[in-house]
Amino acid sequence: MKTIETLLGRGERVRYIGRQHVFVLISNIVTELVLIGVLIAAGVVSQIAFPDKVLAGMEVGVLVLIVCVIISLLILGSAVLDYLRWSNAHYVVTDQRVLVLRGIFNIEVVDIPIEKINEVEFRQSWLGRLFGFGDVEMTTASESGICQCRHLANPDGLKRALSEAQHDLQRGYTYLDQHDIDAYLELEDALAGDPNVERISHALQRLADMRDRGLISRDEFEEKKRDLLSRI
């Protein structure tokens, strides 16, 4: 969570934070534990099957058992890495972009602006419907191309948050800095009835309408907004 907060810009709001379903982690670890059990059983059976055979000065059964134990330890280490990868992977939707964070020691961040997302595809198998996970695939116009969020817990939440963020972006809501809005509303309450405040309020509404209609750019809107608020 702390890493996510450091990536957010001023006024940027988080709409969704998710990760892969715990079913994915459990299935991987169970598979690895089964492999460890099979290897240990194979090592024990080898001692029974080759009681008197010697290879390189060591009983074959003991040698096979040692090899099986070493491989089992490697698989156990892989299980620990699986947990660390699962716990450090996050899928974040803000009002401005989608962030995909991965990595254990070095964090990799995929940053996709909302306006670059062209298509969102949702897939859910029968097992996913049963346990509550699914895949979300985003086709983008950015360098990342296609971004896949596989076996995601609560995939509907990500898709809904993304849809709402795109809707607000089209209406221009994400261009408004909440800090500036709150500051302006406080001043408006304090100066209620002041004709200067009323004129500025009307001008801001007209500017927002022009921005929503594409008559002025975001930067032009921000510049005019700061200029108007500075006159209060």
Side-chain angles (χ1 to χ4, degrees):
M1 291 295 293
K2 189 174 182 180
T3 302
I4 296 172
E5 292 173 0
T6 61
L7 296 172
L8 300 179
R10 180 185 173 189
E12 189 173 4
R13 296 182 294 279
V14 174
R15 293 178 175 269
Y16 170 91
I17 298 178
R19 59 158 50 114
Q20 283 189 318
H21 197 280
V22 70
F23 174 82
V24 178
L25 175 66
I26 293 174
S27 62
N28 288 341
I29 290 179
V30 167
T31 300
E32 287 159 340
L33 291 176
V34 169
L35 286 175
I36 290 173
V38 170
L39 286 168
I40 292 176
V44 172
V45 170
S46 68
Q47 291 192 70
I48 300 174
F50 310 105
D52 300 322
K53 291 190 177 182
V54 177
L55 179 64
M58 183 179 296
E59 291 184 6
V60 172
V62 174
L63 186 60
V64 172
L65 180 60
I66 291 174
V67 172
C68 290
V69 169
I70 292 174
I71 296 175
S72 298
L73 291 175
L74 292 175
I75 295 175
L76 186 60
S78 175
V80 173
L81 290 177
D82 284 341
Y83 170 76
L84 293 175
R85 277 192 290 264
W86 175 83
S87 62
N88 285 284
H90 291 90
Y91 301 89
V92 183
V93 178
T94 75
D95 53 359
Q96 299 177 21
R97 52 192 170 151
V98 175
L99 298 171
V100 181
L101 291 80
R102 302 188 184 98
I104 301 174
F105 305 107
N106 297 319
I107 303 299
E108 174 192 354
V109 180
V110 178
D111 188 330
I112 307 171
I114 294 294
E115 62 268 21
K116 295 287 187 179
I117 299 175
N118 298 326
E119 184 180 349
V120 180
E121 185 177 347
F122 171 72
R123 293 188 296 271
Q124 194 172 37
S125 64
W126 67 269
L127 200 60
R129 290 195 298 270
L130 183 63
F131 289 97
F133 65 86
D135 300 339
V136 177
E137 183 177 288
M138 293 173 281
T139 304
T140 75
S142 62
E143 295 180 359
S144 56
I146 295 177
C147 178
Q148 293 183 329
C149 307
R150 296 181 57 81
H151 303 131
L152 192 67
N154 186 23
D156 291 332
L158 184 146
K159 189 176 181 182
R160 182 170 55 252
L162 188 56
S163 176
E164 292 173 353
Q166 289 177 319
H167 177 266
D168 286 353
L169 182 67
Q170 292 172 357
R171 297 291 301 275
Y173 295 156
T174 59
Y175 295 152
L176 296 173
D177 191 317
Q178 190 63 41
H179 181 271
D180 289 343
I181 293 173
D182 293 341
Y184 173 74
L185 291 176
E186 290 177 4
L187 283 172
E188 190 175 45
D189 291 338
L191 301 175
D194 189 326
N196 186 46
V197 174
E198 294 178 1
R199 285 197 301 271
I200 291 176
S201 177
H202 181 66
L204 283 172
Q205 292 173 3
R206 290 184 59 190
L207 282 171
D209 181 62
M210 292 172 66
R211 180 207 56 212
D212 294 344
R213 292 161 57 192
L215 299 177
I216 61 174
S217 67
R218 170 185 176 180
D219 292 336
E220 290 172 327
F221 171 77
E222 293 291 342
E223 182 181 353
K224 294 293 185 183
K225 182 183 70 172
R226 285 193 295 270
D227 179 56
L228 288 170
L229 292 176
S230 67
R231 300 179 188 179
I232 299 177

